[in-house]
Amino acid sequence: ITNSREKEDIVTMTQRIAIIGGGVSGLAAAWHLHTQSPSDSVDVQIFEAASRLGGHAHTVTLDTEKVTCRDSTNGGTAGNVGVAVGDVAEEKKEDNDSNETSAKNENSKEVDIDVGFMVYNKGNYPNMTNWFESLNVKGEDTDMSLSVSLDGGDKEWSSGSLRGLFANPLQCIKPEFYTFLKDLMHFNANAGELLLLPSDDPARQVTIQEYLNKEGYSEAFASYYLLPMMAALWSASVEDVMAFPASSLVEFMCNHKMLQLFNRPQWQTTTGRSIQYTHKMASILGKNAHTNTPIVALKKFKHEGCGGGVEYELFTSENKSVGHFDHVVFACHSPQAVQILNTDDGKSIDPGLIAALDKIEYGDNVVYVHSDPNLMPKRKAAWGAWNCMGKSELLATHRPKSSGKDNEAMEGSTSGFGNKLQKKDSDNSESLEGENGRMRAVYVTYYINTLQNLTTSTDIFVSLNPHTAPQSDLVYRRQIMAHPQFTKQTHEGRSDVKKHFQGKDGLWFCGAYMGYGFHEDGCRAGFEVATAINGVASPWVNKSDVDEADKELLVLPPPDLAKFTFEQNNSLFRRLKRLLTYRIPVAICKVFVTRFLKEAITKGQLVLKLNDGSQLKFGDGSTCEGDSRPVTARVFDDWFFVKVATEYDLGLARSYMAGQFLVEGLDKEEEYPWTLRSPNNSSKIETNEIIGDPIGLTRLFLLFVGNRDTRSTGLRSVKQHNYANALQNASGLAISKIGSFINFLRFRIFMDNSERGGSLKNIHAHYDISNDLFRTFLDKETLMYSSAIYDAVAASPATVGQPSSGLHFKGSLEEAQWRKLDTLCDRAQIQPGQTLLDIGFGWGGLSLHAAKKYGCRVTGITLSVEQKALAEERVRKEGLGHLINFEVIDYRTFARRKDNQGKFDRVISCEMIEAVGHEHLGEFFWAVEQVLAYDGVLVMEAITTPEARYETYLRSTDFINTVIFPGSLCPSLHALVDASYKWSTLTLEHIDNIGLHYAETLAEWRRRFNAKEAVVRKMGFDDVFMRVWNYYMTYCEAGFRSQTEHCLILVFSRPGNRALVPLSEARSVTQMKSLTNEEVESWLE
């Protein structure tokens, strides 16, 4: 290539195109542009760092007698610009001496084999098959049997024959083997249903781990088949396999006809190995192909020719320019593309592009070519074409580690319950091979004699990441090859590149990572880029055997066999079963729910968008709770109507947890009510396809509250407690009363807040989820899991005479929590050196503050082992161990100790009373009176339910006391005062209501939690938990924001307590002078 710009601009209409990477994507793009473009319209140059073309199409020549290996050449260094590089970017050769063997001779036992790309079939590789026909490259039938061998052969089978299936005769008497076969048939028959879901359905985003758990597949199915097979297919660790999107796996298996027992495709291998096509490509491209020419840098600048635009100068080793180009096609791996793009001096490459490419992950794999049979199944009857060798203990990780976790954890949290955030980055600490390598659970050995129809008497194998290295004198070659890892992050990055950056400013990207990671995916990606550049369709698109719908395309798409596969398994029995168990219940419940919502939603508007495109609208469209926009819920699964109809509000929660519906976000920031917007006007940043719009959830709950708490008098019970309308007690949705009663009955029978262990179990289910989880959203300084108190001022009313529409909040969560701690201590009138009992001390924030600021001697009691461990760690760091003592004990047991009688000057209980239960409120006040000094003070921060709803609340269950805080109850103020009167001599002395501050606290917790989604998922928490936690935060926020739930700071003491005289000062009993409008505006600034 000349560096002379004059020569390059002789033909101004010729597009100069550089292709970086000589693998299958680069070769496909180069072939199409070079052979299918109009004459002289393009000048294509392809640059490859290695000394050969082909990438993973890699043929090597083995001498089975000398046990040596060398690369087969495919055109040498045709068109080399003079820069020779020995290292290959994608294959880092380590045993160079094995490449320096003598050439073939007639007396040696030499054979050519492929170590990368090996097999294909016509049905699933349409573009590559047609390309091969154009190149006159032949194929031959091959065997693609699968074998799994676990635990040194204790469990092994092969799909090649019935004898192979029962290669280990002992498996005939093992129930788990038949469970695996049963689940395999069930998976093959039902997995295709996942692909019939709408593309925006959250159920399509679940990972393999979530899918296996949700569908109830056995450990045997996972370890005997699915996980080893996937790890072998994608050269991935089990951890990466678990994070693989289930829909992508099912789509791949459907399209490759792996979900059917019959009519499976006939696989082929290239006759004469893959060098046949790479050699022909080298001949076709001639001097336009440049091997030993790594591209290491790029420079972008304005195009100096006519027409404007941009162009790029590329550089190889030693900063040598290889020319200027209008288009640059990155047919290399994404990490290499990122490195090259980052070298632009002008820093004019879109950072969003680099970020998207950076998400696409690759993993290195150690590849051995050898003849050691010890890396194959124990029994030769179990040998297959590809053999998965592993350990069942490490493959059985799709279930929670603790068999009792479902009974321990709060509903929806089992996926990550008890897990801790790993401090060490595993990518930096683990090796590629060996017992503790990246694929420590399973590795794969390919039986090359079977796969590539070898006639040699010597068995030849290719093993990836083996747990034990092959016998050294049987090894032909050891090298490292990189493969894309199809995690959720990779899918996001790939999608961003396709949607926003493909072809922008003449930069193009193709590779196997654009599909499933196989040769057809790389081939198709290359053709897609090439046809987009020259606008010419692939020559085989218009062939007679191509579907009419595909003839309008430029490149043949992957076959869509998912629906066909499902329909083949859709028997009359299955259709009848679905009619009786799904369609009829849905139809009935849909009628009930629709009628109910028409009666219940009278203000505002609720829109339900269904899968068939229809919409159900409820309400008059007026402003409700300050919200003038409709709340739109996207219903993905009509079972939503069954859940709501049979379980009412708890059914709505569980439907959201299951991903059956999400709330859509609003288009513009200003459309959200000002009280719900994020402080930095980034309300939409939390919205995603898994949780929907969390602020939209808050809007949904506020819509329900606004229609529940109407101004009408409504019906009254005999005790004169208000049942305002349909939303208050589900009148009009009679069918839900059955499910609600069953839920309530279950709650009353199994929820136990007794001293004998029930309270301990309930606290454990929520507070022991994971300390690291709570750290993702609580403030960083106090770790208080209760309402903060912000610097706040009421907003001016919209019109004179109208109430304020809310509070303006100022300051950080950390500042607000310190203010709350000072408020609690002030209300308790704590004096230096006093003794303090902190009931339910959480992670020690209040105890540390009282000891540090006032020198108090603090005793803290809790039922959470995890909280105590972290709190004690914080105490040690502060050096306050001589002042603070923590204990895991029930408050009633603690009060019975004789040495605790009248011991404490002050008792503070911060949002612990909710865990006590209505029947045990009196016991709490009794316990406090036992330990409180005569002139002592009790300060309680409590979430309370308004008296008007308390009676109904006691006779029902809800999302909070069933799912989030098992057995919990938010008492009414009357219930607390009544309990204190009946069980103690304590009297209520002072009240503060900080409910609106709690709404803002919860909103900030939610924002922080969602911002740390990646960290939360590293702890093992899944999509269900992400939805559970968002539902919890928004559900509570709406209650406090609507002022229909309260957070009260209550002060109790015995009558005549002089310690509380300061609470009668003017600052505590009078209202401060209102701020003027000018002062409010100044405050907001």
Side-chain angles (χ1 to χ4, degrees):
I1 301 174
T2 177
N3 287 327
S4 169
R5 292 299 307 280
E6 291 79 6
K7 290 184 179 180
E8 290 182 11
D9 287 331
I10 291 175
V11 183
T12 57
M13 297 302 294
T14 300
Q15 294 189 85
R16 296 158 298 177
I17 303 170
I19 299 176
I20 303 174
V24 62
S25 294
L27 292 177
W31 179 85
H32 185 86
L33 290 168
H34 189 75
T35 64
Q36 304 301 309
S37 299
S39 179
D40 297 327
S41 64
V42 298
D43 175 18
V44 183
Q45 306 293 331
I46 184 169
F47 302 96
E48 168 57 50
S51 60
R52 60 176 184 82
L53 298 175
H56 279 217
H58 188 183
T59 303
V60 297
T61 301
L62 308 182
D63 188 321
T64 58
E65 187 176 78
K66 298 179 180 179
V67 194
T68 56
C69 171
R70 71 173 186 274
D71 282 328
S72 297
T73 60
N74 53 19
T77 56
N80 192 294
V81 296
V83 180
V85 178
D87 295 331
V88 180
E90 67 182 23
E91 299 162 354
K92 309 159 196 172
K93 301 178 183 60
E94 299 187 9
D95 295 341
N96 293 327
D97 58 332
S98 68
N99 299 321
E100 299 173 357
T101 58
S102 59
K104 276 187 180 181
N105 60 74
E106 294 180 357
N107 297 322
S108 65
K109 295 184 177 180
E110 293 189 334
V111 61
D112 288 341
I113 71 162
D114 283 326
V115 296
F117 163 63
M118 299 182 191
V119 293
Y120 64 96
N121 70 72
K122 187 173 183 179
N124 304 110
Y125 290 65
N127 292 287
M128 203 190 76
T129 303
N130 281 285
W131 185 30
F132 279 7
E133 289 179 2
S134 299
L135 296 174
N136 198 28
V137 173
K138 305 296 184 183
E140 56 191 54
D141 291 349
T142 186
D143 174 36
M144 273 287 282
S145 55
L146 169 69
S147 168
V148 176
S149 179
L150 306 175
D151 306 329
D154 288 348
K155 304 173 183 178
E156 62 182 19
W157 65 277
S158 170
S159 66
S161 64
L162 191 62
R163 180 168 175 251
L165 183 64
F166 295 98
N168 182 356
L170 293 178
Q171 286 175 172
C172 297
I173 60 174
K174 291 184 178 180
E176 67 173 14
F177 188 72
Y178 295 98
T179 301
F180 142 64
L181 294 176
K182 176 180 70 69
D183 280 357
L184 175 61
M185 290 186 288
H186 179 77
F187 180 80
N188 288 348
N190 293 277
E193 292 185 17
L194 188 63
L195 303 182
L196 300 181
L197 299 175
S199 59
D200 56 348
D201 192 328
R204 291 199 63 151
Q205 314 304 322
V206 297
T207 64
I208 291 297
Q209 181 170 1
E210 293 165 352
Y211 181 76
L212 290 173
N213 289 333
K214 179 183 177 182
E215 300 299 326
Y217 286 104
S218 65
E219 290 281 8
F221 171 71
S223 60
Y224 270 92
Y225 173 65
L226 192 69
L227 299 184
M229 182 268 295
M230 287 187 65
L233 273 174
W234 281 280
S235 305
S237 66
V238 167
E239 291 77 12
D240 288 338
V241 163
M242 291 294 190
F244 197 95
S247 59
S248 294
L249 167 70
V250 174
E251 187 175 27
F252 172 83
M253 296 184 74
C254 283
N255 289 347
H256 284 70
K257 297 187 178 181
M258 297 173 70
L259 296 181
Q260 54 200 76
L261 295 176
F262 306 103
N263 195 29
R264 288 197 169 195
Q266 175 60 59
W267 289 84
Q268 293 192 314
T269 188
T270 310
T271 302
R273 311 287 80 81
S274 63
I275 193 162
Q276 299 301 316
Y277 97 81
T278 58
H279 179 77
K280 290 187 177 182
M281 280 304 305
S283 300
I284 291 171
L285 295 174
K287 293 183 178 180
N288 292 51
H290 310 272
T291 54
N292 287 324
T293 310
I295 300 301
V296 298
L298 166 150
K299 184 177 181 181
K300 177 182 178 181
F301 49 86
K302 293 285 185 180
H303 200 302
E304 296 179 6
C306 61
V310 297
E311 64 179 11
Y312 301 89
E313 184 174 13
L314 301 183
F315 301 87
T316 185
S317 303
E318 300 179 2
N319 204 33
K320 292 182 179 179
S321 175
V322 296
H324 295 253
F325 301 92
D326 304 299
H327 298 272
V328 178
V329 179
F330 288 87
C332 52
H333 294 176
S334 55
Q336 295 167 315
V338 169
Q339 289 179 355
I340 296 170
L341 291 170
N342 276 327
T343 63
D344 177 43
D345 293 338
K347 302 299 179 184
S348 57
I349 304 298
D350 192 327
L353 168 61
I354 295 177
L357 288 169
D358 222 13
K359 288 183 179 180
I360 301 171
E361 301 177 25
Y362 271 78
D364 284 345
N365 294 284
V366 177
V367 179
Y368 282 96
V369 182
H370 64 95
S371 291
D372 188 350
N374 290 317
L375 274 63
M376 288 288 284
K378 181 178 180 181
R379 300 165 183 84
K380 198 151 188 176
W383 284 22
W386 41 307
N387 305 268
C388 305
M389 315 289 294
K391 307 169 187 175
S392 57
E393 179 183 2
L394 297 179
L395 285 166
T397 56
H398 77 280
R399 294 289 182 209
K401 296 183 182 69
S402 171
S403 59
K405 189 182 288 190
D406 284 327
N407 296 322
E408 296 176 20
M410 56 163 269
E411 188 176 336
S413 72
T414 55
S415 59
F417 187 85
N419 292 349
K420 295 181 179 180
L421 188 63
Q422 297 300 317
K423 305 300 181 184
K424 189 182 295 184
D425 185 354
S426 61
D427 289 336
N428 295 329
S429 62
E430 67 183 5
S431 60
L432 295 178
E433 58 182 317
E435 294 286 339
N436 297 313
R438 188 171 70 86
M439 295 184 68
R440 53 189 167 273
V442 63
Y443 68 92
V444 61
T445 294
Y446 298 101
Y447 187 19
I448 302 300
N449 298 61
T450 295
L451 272 171
Q452 299 177 21
N453 299 324
L454 302 186
T455 58
T456 176
S457 59
T458 304
D459 287 327
I460 298 174
F461 313 109
V462 172
S463 296
L464 274 68
N465 306 311
H467 296 164
T468 304
Q471 188 175 319
S472 59
D473 60 350
L474 297 177
V475 175
Y476 301 93
R477 162 175 287 203
R478 177 187 185 275
Q479 65 187 54
I480 295 177
M481 302 180 76
H483 296 84
Q485 304 298 299
F486 290 94
T487 61
K488 180 182 178 183
Q489 181 172 291
T490 294
H491 279 258
E492 290 175 354
R494 184 180 70 185
S495 178
D496 287 346
V497 171
K498 287 182 176 180
K499 289 180 180 178
H500 306 298
F501 303 106
Q502 189 70 288
K504 183 179 178 181
D505 288 340
L507 297 179
W508 303 84
F509 303 89
C510 56
Y513 62 83
M514 288 294 190
Y516 299 111
F518 297 95
H519 228 58
E520 168 68 13
D521 302 301
C523 175
R524 183 174 58 254
F527 284 130
E528 286 174 344
V529 165
T531 55
I533 291 175
N534 69 4
V536 179
S538 301
W540 44 83
V541 167
N542 293 315
K543 291 174 65 173
S544 59
D545 59 345
V546 174
D547 292 340
E548 288 298 323
D550 292 340
K551 290 185 179 181
E552 297 179 3
L553 304 175
L554 299 179
V555 180
L556 290 180
D560 184 9
L561 303 178
K563 188 174 182 180
F564 171 76
T565 302
F566 172 73
E567 288 177 347
Q568 277 205 323
N569 293 318
N570 198 19
S571 63
L572 176 62
F573 172 77
R574 291 187 63 188
R575 292 197 298 271
L576 182 61
K577 179 182 177 182
R578 181 172 177 82
L579 176 67
L580 296 175
T581 62
Y582 185 86
R583 291 182 178 176
I584 291 178
V586 164
I588 294 172
C589 292
K590 189 174 181 179
V591 171
F592 275 99
V593 173
T594 301
R595 288 178 179 174
F596 167 72
L597 289 176
K598 284 180 179 179
E599 178 185 351
I601 306 298
T602 58
K603 297 189 301 181
Q605 189 171 65
L606 172 63
V607 179
L608 300 182
K609 294 173 65 174
L610 308 182
N611 284 334
D612 60 6
S614 63
Q615 296 186 1
L616 302 177
K617 296 183 179 181
F618 310 94
D620 61 4
S622 62
T623 298
C624 181
E625 294 294 314
D627 192 352
S628 61
R629 302 292 299 172
V631 177
T632 303
R634 172 72 170 91
V635 178
F636 300 103
D637 187 344
D638 286 348
W639 198 253
F640 158 85
F641 294 103
V642 178
K643 296 295 291 183
V644 173
T646 55
E647 296 185 78
Y648 193 47
D649 56 342
L650 193 53
L652 181 72
R654 285 172 171 155
S655 178
Y656 177 79
M657 289 163 57
Q660 293 171 355
F661 83 93
L662 299 178
V663 180
E664 295 183 351
L666 298 177
D667 294 332
K668 299 178 181 178
E669 179 78 21
E670 56 269 22
E671 292 179 340
Y672 289 94
W674 71 267
T675 54
L676 301 182
R677 296 175 199 162
S678 298
N680 55 356
N681 290 324
S682 58
S683 301
K684 292 177 66 63
I685 198 170
E686 297 179 75
T687 303
N688 62 44
E689 59 192 3
I690 301 302
I691 63 174
D693 177 22
I695 298 180
L697 269 180
T698 307
R699 295 175 58 232
L700 176 65
F701 297 133
L702 288 173
L703 178 67
F704 290 154
V705 170
N707 282 276
R708 180 195 66 190
D709 298 337
T710 61
R711 295 179 182 273
S712 61
T713 303
L715 300 173
R716 291 178 177 270
S717 71
V718 292
K719 294 187 177 182
Q720 297 298 301
H721 287 165
N722 200 357
Y723 294 154
N725 64 7
L727 277 171
Q728 183 74 276
N729 65 344
S731 61
L733 191 55
I735 193 174
S736 73
K737 292 184 179 297
I738 300 173
S740 296
F741 176 74
I742 293 173
N743 283 330
F744 177 68
L745 196 62
R746 186 184 298 117
F747 178 85
R748 297 293 296 175
I749 294 173
F750 296 106
M751 288 300 180
D752 177 16
N753 287 316
S754 70
E755 186 180 353
R756 297 185 300 273
S759 291
L760 178 65
K761 178 182 177 181
N762 293 339
I763 293 298
H764 173 67
H766 181 92
Y767 293 95
D768 289 348
I769 293 176
S770 169
N771 285 337
D772 288 333
L773 170 72
F774 288 101
R775 276 177 150 165
T776 62
F777 65 90
L778 297 180
D779 73 287
K780 305 303 180 186
E781 297 171 4
T782 71
L783 290 183
M784 291 298 294
Y785 190 28
S786 57
S787 177
I789 300 179
Y790 285 85
D791 188 5
V793 65
S796 300
T799 58
V800 177
Q802 294 295 316
S804 171
S805 57
L807 292 179
H808 288 291
F809 297 98
K810 190 176 181 181
S812 68
L813 176 62
E814 283 71 18
E815 293 169 343
Q817 288 292 13
W818 284 118
R819 185 179 294 108
K820 200 280 288 291
L821 290 179
D822 281 332
T823 300
L824 292 177
C825 292
D826 175 75
R827 297 298 182 264
Q829 288 297 298
I830 289 179
Q831 303 300 316
Q834 287 186 326
T835 54
L836 169 66
L837 175 62
D838 187 356
I839 302 180
F841 58 79
W843 289 276
L846 174 62
S847 298
L848 286 163
H849 186 61
K852 200 170 184 179
K853 185 172 182 178
Y854 298 95
C856 289
R857 298 186 302 280
V858 183
T859 298
I861 61 175
T862 185
L863 291 178
S864 170
V865 176
E866 292 297 315
Q867 285 186 328
K868 176 176 180 286
L870 179 54
E872 287 180 332
E873 180 184 324
R874 298 180 70 201
V875 168
R876 285 193 295 271
K877 287 183 178 179
E878 294 288 345
L880 295 172
H882 61 294
L883 292 177
I884 301 176
N885 177 58
F886 292 139
E887 188 175 354
V888 175
I889 188 173
D890 188 276
Y891 62 92
R892 290 158 289 200
T893 307
F894 184 83
R896 289 192 179 90
R897 290 179 179 171
K898 291 185 178 181
D899 57 344
N900 288 331
Q901 300 296 308
K903 179 179 179 179
F904 297 96
D905 300 305
R906 301 290 185 266
V907 175
I908 298 181
S909 172
C910 187
E911 292 189 28
M912 173 269 177
I913 196 68
E914 300 81 10
V916 169
H918 179 78
E919 295 81 1
H920 303 283
L921 290 176
E923 296 174 14
F924 176 83
F925 282 99
W926 170 86
V928 170
E929 184 157 56
Q930 304 309 303
V931 300
L932 190 65
Y934 182 78
D935 58 350
V937 176
L938 162 67
V939 173
M940 173 193 299
E941 183 177 327
I943 299 173
T944 62
T945 301
E947 276 69 15
R949 295 203 320 275
Y950 192 58
E951 180 187 329
T952 305
Y953 176 50
L954 288 177
R955 297 197 304 269
S956 62
T957 57
D958 67 3
F959 172 68
I960 296 298
N961 63 23
T962 304
V963 176
I964 298 298
F965 297 99
S968 66
L969 175 133
C970 297
S972 67
L973 178 59
H974 173 82
L976 290 171
V977 173
D978 190 56
S980 69
Y981 156 70
K982 292 179 177 178
W983 287 75
S984 73
T985 59
L986 298 177
T987 301
L988 179 62
E989 300 282 354
H990 190 89
I991 301 178
D992 296 291
N993 189 342
I994 59 173
L996 284 174
H997 294 263
Y998 214 155
E1000 186 62 20
T1001 302
L1002 284 155
E1004 179 61 19
W1005 284 347
R1006 186 203 71 233
R1007 289 188 284 263
R1008 293 186 178 203
F1009 174 78
N1010 287 330
K1012 293 284 188 178
E1013 178 184 354
V1015 177
V1016 174
R1017 290 188 180 278
K1018 281 185 179 179
M1019 286 182 263
F1021 293 101
D1022 58 15
D1023 291 352
V1024 173
F1025 182 78
M1026 295 300 298
R1027 288 191 287 267
V1028 167
W1029 214 250
N1030 272 275
Y1031 198 95
Y1032 155 47
M1033 297 287 189
T1034 55
Y1035 183 89
C1036 295
E1037 179 191 348
F1040 291 115
R1041 195 148 327 253
S1042 62
Q1043 296 177 266
T1044 55
E1045 285 291 307
H1046 303 303
C1047 184
L1048 305 180
I1049 297 177
L1050 307 173
V1051 181
F1052 291 87
S1053 74
R1054 298 181 180 92
N1057 192 337
R1058 309 297 294 177
L1060 297 181
V1061 168
L1063 296 188
S1064 296
E1065 293 178 357
R1067 67 185 177 91
S1068 295
V1069 298
T1070 62
Q1071 175 67 43
M1072 293 179 62
K1073 180 181 177 182
S1074 299
L1075 300 178
T1076 66
N1077 289 338
E1078 292 76 15
E1079 288 173 325
V1080 171
E1081 292 177 2
S1082 175
W1083 181 90
L1084 289 175
E1085 292 176 358

